[in-house]
C-alpha cells in the first residue's frame, strides 16, 4: 500500500485551520490537524517543502516508522512548527489505519476505559456576576465542570473573556497585526478570590470549578494564588506560571494543595517529563496537534499514568475539530484521563467544513463509532473560506513591559 498524495489545506471558516489530507492508493483518505494559531503558513511551508516529498510512495500503515523518521530524521527536533507538521501527518495516518481496519481509532489504541468523556466548559464574563451567570447557564445545560474567567476591573482586556469585542477567539478582520492587551497582577489579585468565593456561594459545591492564569504569575505569586483558592476546591489551576524552568513548579507545589495543570503549549514528552516525574502537576494538558499527534500523546498519557498525573487535553477554538476528535479517541482509551476542555462544536461554517460525528449530552462527549477519527473534511466547502492572516495577542504591563499573554 502506498501514499499517493498529501495535500495541505488552509481554510478560515471563522478562524484559520491547517488540515493535512493523505490519499492512499486504495482510495482511503485520512485527515489531520496541523494548526498553529498565528503561524499557520510556517507549518504549511514545512510540510510542503520538507515533509511531503519524503512520504509520497511510502506505506501509510507504517505510522511508527514515519513518526520516528520525521522526528529523529530531521536532526532539528521538537518545536511547535515541526511537531504540528508531524501531528497533522500522524493523525491522518491513524485515520487511515482505522478506516483500513474498519474500527474507530480508540479501538486501535486498546479499547474503552469509559463510557464517555467528561468536558469542562468556559464561562468568561465582564465582571464576577456576569461570569457566574454564564456558569449557571452552563450548569443548567448539564455541564459538571466550568472554567471561570472574569474581566479585571481597571484593565482594558482580560484573557479568556469574550465580549462584543474581537479577541483571540475570532479572526482579526481589519487589523492583521498582533493586538495588544494589558496585565496587572495586583489588580487581578484584588478580585480573584471574590470570583471563586461568590461562585461557590451561588453555584454550590456540586460543580467542578477551574481557572486558567495563562502564565501571568511568577512562581511565588502562583503559590499565593493556589493557597488563596484552596477553600474553593478547584478541579485545577491551569498555567499559573510559565514552566520553561520546570523546577519552578517545586516552589508552587510546596505551598499549595490546589491541583495544578499545564501543557497546552508543549511540543513533546520531554517538555512534560520533569513535571510529571516529580509529580509537580496533577493534569497534563498537551494537545495532539501541538505535541506530535496520537502516537506522541499515547506515550505522554502512559508516562503520566506512572505518576498519578491525569490527562486534560487542550480544547481551545484554535484547534480544529479533527484534533478534538483525536482527543475523544485518546480520552476514551486513556486509563488516566481526567477531563477534556470544550468550547462547543464551532459555528455553522466550521461545521460545514468539518463534519464531525460526536454526541454531546450532559457535559459529556461520546466518541464516534465510525472507522478512523470520525470527521469528514469537505474540501470544497473549505475553499470558500480562504486563509486570513491573524495573530494571537501580545500582553504588556501598564508601564509598557512585554509580559506573558
Ligand atoms: C487557552 C487557549 O483554552 C485555553 O486553555 O489557554 O485558548 C489559548 O490561549 C489558545 O489556544 C492559544 O492559541
Ligand atoms: Mg489555557
Amino acid at each position: 500500500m502506498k501514499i499517493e498524495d498529501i495535500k495541505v489545506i488552509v481554510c478560515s471558516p471563522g478562524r484559520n485551520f491547517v488540515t493535512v489530507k493523505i490519499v492512499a492508493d486504495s482510495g482511503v483518505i485520512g485527515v489531520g490537524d496541523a494548526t498553529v494559531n498565528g503561524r499557520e503558513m510556517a507549518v504549511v511551508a514545512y510540510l510542503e517543502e520538507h515533509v511531503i516529498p519524503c512520504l509520497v510512495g511510502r506505506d501509510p500503515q507504517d505510522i511508527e516508522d514515519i513518526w520516528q523518521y520525521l522526528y529523529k530524521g530531521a536532526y532539528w527536533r521538537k518545536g511547535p512548527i515541526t511537531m504540528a507538521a508531524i501531528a497533522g501527518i500522524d493523525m491522518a495516518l491513524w485515520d487511515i489505519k482505522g478506516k483500513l481496519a474498519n474500527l474507530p481509532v480508540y479501538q486501535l489504541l486498546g479499547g474503552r476505559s469509559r463510557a464517555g468523556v467528561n468536558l469542562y466548559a468556559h464561562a468568561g464574563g465582564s465582571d464576577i456576576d456576569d461570569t457566574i451567570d454564564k456558569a449557571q447557564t452552563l450548569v443548567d445545560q448539564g455541564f459538571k465542570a466550568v472554567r471561570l474567567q472574569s474581566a479585571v476591573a481597571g484593565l482594558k482586556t482580560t484573557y479568556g473573556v469574550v465580549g462584543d469585542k474581537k479577541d483571540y477567539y475570532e479572526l482579526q478582520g481589519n487589523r492583521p497585526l498582533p493586538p495588544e492587551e494589558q496585565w496587572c497582577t495586583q489588580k487581578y489579585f484584588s478580585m480573584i478570590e471574590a470570583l471563586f468565593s461568590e461562585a461557590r456561594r451561588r453555584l454550590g459545591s456540586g460543580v467542578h470549578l477551574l481557572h486558567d492564569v495563562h502564565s501571568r504569575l511568577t512562581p511565588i505569586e502562583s503559590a499565593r494564588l493556589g493557597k488563596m483558592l484552596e477553600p474553593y476546591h478547584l478541579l485545577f489551576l491551569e498555567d499559573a506560571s510559565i514552566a520553561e524552568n520546570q523546577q519552578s513548579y517545586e516552589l508552587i507545589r510546596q505551598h499549595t494543595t490546589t491541583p495544578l495543570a499545564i501543557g497546552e503549549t508543549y511540543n513533546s514528552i520531554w517538555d512534560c517529563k520533569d513535571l510529571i516525574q516529580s509529580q509537580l502537576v496533577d493534569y497534563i494538558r498537551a494537545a495532539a496537534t501541538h505535541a506530535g499527534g496520537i502516537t506522541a500523546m499515547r506515550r505522554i498519557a502512559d508516562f503520566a499514568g506512572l505518576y498519578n498525573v491525569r490527562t486534560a487535553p487542550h480544547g481551545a477554538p484554535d484547534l480544529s475539530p479533527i484534533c478534538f476528535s483525536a482527543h475523544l479517541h485518546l480520552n476514551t482509551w486513556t486509563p488516566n484521563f481526567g477531563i477534556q476542555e470544550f468550547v462547543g462544536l464551532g459555528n455553522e461554517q466550521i461545521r460545514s467544513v468539518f463534519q464531525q460525528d460526536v454526541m454531546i449530552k450532559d457535559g459529556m462527549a461520546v466518541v464516534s463509532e465510525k472507522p478512523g477519527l470520525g470527521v469528514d473534511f469537505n474540501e470544497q466547502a473549505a475553499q470558500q473560506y480562504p486563509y486570513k492572516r491573524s495573530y494571537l495577542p501580545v500582553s504588556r504591563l501598564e508601564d509598557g513591559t512585554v509580559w506573558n499573554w
Side-chain angles (χ1 to χ4, degrees), residues 120 122 147 149 159 168 211-215 236 238-239 263-265 285 314-316 341:
Y120 72 89
H122 285 195
R147 186 187 89 166
Q149 307 293 137
Y159 161 75
Y168 79 102
H211 180 61
D212 187 353
V213 188
H214 233 235
S215 310
F236 63 61
E238 177 190 340
D239 286 348
E264 65 181 39
T265 62
R285 304 198 62 254
H314 190 202
E341 180 178 23

Side-chain angles (χ1 to χ4, degrees), residues 24-35:
D25 58 0
S26 57
V28 182
I29 288 172
V31 288
D33 179 31
T35 308

Side-chain angles (χ1 to χ4, degrees), residues 172 174-180 389-392:
Q172 296 124 30
N174 54 0
R175 47 165 201 192
L177 285 174
E180 297 211 349
R389 182 156 55 93
S390 179
Y391 292 92
L392 286 165

